Amino acid sequence: MEFLKDKLDAIPHHLDFEGQRIAERLYQVILSVAGIVGFIVGYYKQQLSYSVAIVLAALALCFLLILPPWPFFRRNSVKWLPVVDTPHEKGDEKKEKQTKSKTKVKKDK
């Protein structure tokens, strides 16, 4: 199983925020259009199975378009800021001491 994990880790599988927006919009449009078309075809033919088949085909299309990590979902990479180590601020320490003293007072009562 380790060799499979290494091969899967080599494939880029992340999306950026814009890619997430595109993927969500894509599946919303595909499933909405398929639902409307499926309803119309099913109503016209008087067969619920046609409606279900159209929606399931659209779902399979959504899986094919959205689940694989396609490169067009990763075009706008986020530029993260570098990590900066900062010492604890004195205000934070005062708040911690105040909350500790309040809990001690509550326990004493």
Side-chain angles (χ1 to χ4, degrees), residues 11-15 64-74:
I11 299 171
H13 55 271
H14 64 282
L15 298 178
L64 181 66
L65 290 176
I66 294 172
L67 286 182
W70 299 111
F72 63 89
F73 289 135
R74 297 186 307 256

Side-chain angles (χ1 to χ4, degrees), residues 1-107:
M1 291 305 269
E2 190 66 33
F3 70 93
L4 184 61
K5 184 180 181 299
D6 293 337
K7 290 185 186 233
L8 289 176
D9 285 342
I11 299 171
H13 55 271
H14 64 282
L15 298 178
D16 57 27
F17 294 116
E18 187 67 22
Q20 289 175 0
R21 188 186 65 78
I22 292 169
E24 185 174 358
R25 180 62 64 182
L26 192 61
Y27 92 79
Q28 287 175 345
V29 168
I30 290 172
L31 288 181
S32 297
V33 170
I36 293 167
V37 169
F39 177 78
I40 292 170
V41 169
Y43 184 78
Y44 179 73
K45 296 285 189 174
Q46 293 296 306
Q47 279 289 347
L48 181 63
S49 61
Y50 290 171
S51 297
V52 172
I54 290 172
V55 171
L56 289 177
L59 187 63
L61 178 66
C62 284
F63 286 162
L64 181 66
L65 290 176
I66 294 172
L67 286 182
W70 299 111
F72 63 89
F73 289 135
R74 297 186 307 256
R75 281 192 222 155
N76 304 312
S77 296
V78 176
K79 305 292 187 257
W80 297 99
L81 294 175
V83 176
V84 178
D85 292 332
T86 58
H88 292 289
E89 295 180 12
K90 292 182 181 180
D92 290 339
E93 291 174 4
K94 288 180 183 177
K95 289 178 185 176
E96 288 177 16
K97 288 179 183 177
Q98 288 174 353
T99 56
K100 286 180 182 177
S101 64
K102 286 181 183 178
T103 55
K104 286 181 183 178
V105 170
K106 288 181 183 177
K107 288 179 183 178

